[in-house]
Every structure is written in structure tokens, then in C-alpha cells.
Amino acid sequence: MERKTLQKLEQITHKDPPSSDQTDGGSFVIQSATVLANNPIAATLHPRSCAFPLHGHDYMELMYVCDGHIVHNISGRQVDVHKGGLLILNKFVTHSVKSADPDDIGINLILPDAFLTTIQDVSDDSTLARFVADNMKHDGAPQYLLFDIGNIYPIRNLLDNIIYSVVADEKRDFPLLPKAVSLLFDYLSVYPETLVESDYATDREAAFRNAVGNYIQTE
């Protein structure tokens, strides 16, 4: 990313955590309808000047760290997302985010179910495709995926384009954002080695081991 873009991101005034009119009563679940403003998806700058309390959201959230690092607490597990890290949280996750320093810069992408239905055909057998499909369920489990895309130029380039739209507030680029994010999912699927941490695969492996154990005991 160009240094001048980072400098502009550093200058942008950061907002406070969501107010009560963006959440679902006292449960502190952020509602996509109040964030999207009739757009299919949204890209926002993560507020770094204050901690985010424990919360959930009715949409899938992606956070890309442009510089520094940002620390999440997900179901009691600390997940430290460093520069070049892309964290994907499904809509069943509740998490909190620690206060960040001035040079810790993250971009959030808000992806509602209506948008995700348009990318469900991405590499059907990939972990990411299964993750997206499970997110669409009504009673899914909280799951996250953490990618390190720092050395993958095509993915970095896509994210730079998305970030530029946020920084420049380039209205004519907004209709292209959904296409860019859809392409981002395609690239993540064909670069599986970028997946560096997950509680999704672990849960699937645990379920498989349990099934094998039960079969051995009964048969």
C-alpha cells in the first residue's frame, strides 16, 4: 500500500463504538440494516481510539489490518491480527476488540447474507466455501478464519483497491466493491496456504474424531 494512503488513513477521525440505534436492544448485536444504508456491502475504517466491548452482528465481518496489529477476543481466545492479516468472522461470533494505537489501522467489510448468496458457488469444495455456507444457517456455531495475505500480491492489490474507495470516498467506485469482494473470495479459495489460523477446521476435525470413536465403540 502506498505510504500516502496510510498517512491519509492515520488522519481520518475515528468514530466511537456503535450506538444503541445500531444494535438489537440490550443484546448488543449490530444490525446490518443500520450500517449498510441500502448498499449491498459496506467498507468502514475500524475505530482505534477506544476498545470495542463484547458484541455480535447479524452479518459476516471481514477485518483487514493495513498496518500495525489489532487484537480480538473471540470466545475467550485472543486473536492478534497483524499487518497483512485478514480475519473473517461469521454472523454467530461474539467478540471484543482491544483499543489500538494510532498506527494500528484496520478496514472492516460488512457482508450481509443477501450478498453472500451471490458468491456461494465459489470453489465449492474449499474451506472458505463451506464456511460461507455454514454462515447462512439459522443455528450455526461461532467460527472464524484468519488469513495471512501479506505475500500474495493479487489479494493485496484487491484489498488496496477496496481501501482506496474508503479513503478517497470515490462514489463512482462503490458499485464495483461487491465485485471486488467476490473476487477476493475466489482468490482466497485458490490460495489455501494463506489460511493460518481457524477454529472452523478444528471443530470439523473434532467432530470427525468423535464420529470415528463412536463407531469403534459401537461396532
Side-chain angles (χ1 to χ4, degrees), residues 51-170:
F52 250 72
L54 186 66
H55 67 283
H57 18 71
D58 68 347
Y59 50 85
M60 183 179 287
E61 180 178 61
L62 279 66
M63 171 182 277
Y64 175 61
V65 175
C66 312
D67 207 8
H69 74 124
I70 296 175
V71 181
H72 297 247
N73 189 294
I74 306 172
S75 302
R77 179 186 299 184
Q78 182 169 294
V79 180
D80 195 347
V81 188
H82 289 267
K83 178 181 178 180
L86 178 66
L87 178 66
I88 305 182
L89 306 169
N90 74 2
K91 66 181 180 183
F92 304 106
V93 164
T94 57
H95 67 124
S96 58
V97 189
K98 291 186 177 181
S99 178
D101 293 330
D103 56 352
D104 297 326
I105 301 173
I107 296 291
N108 294 326
L109 295 175
I110 297 163
L111 310 181
D113 285 359
F115 170 75
L116 293 174
T117 57
T118 67
I119 63 169
Q120 277 193 290
D121 59 345
V122 55
S123 301
D124 290 335
D125 195 36
S126 70
T127 297
L128 184 56
R130 295 193 301 269
F131 181 86
V132 171
D134 287 349
N135 177 85
M136 307 296 286
K137 297 177 179 177
H138 296 293
D139 56 351
Q143 306 281 1
Y144 74 87
L145 304 174
L146 177 60
F147 297 85
D148 181 2
I149 52 85
N151 295 320
I152 310 298
Y153 178 78
I155 303 178
R156 283 180 21 227
N157 185 48
L158 270 173
L159 286 163
D160 284 352
N161 289 337
I162 293 169
I163 292 165
Y164 175 79
S165 297
V166 176
V167 172
D169 195 26
E170 192 66 69

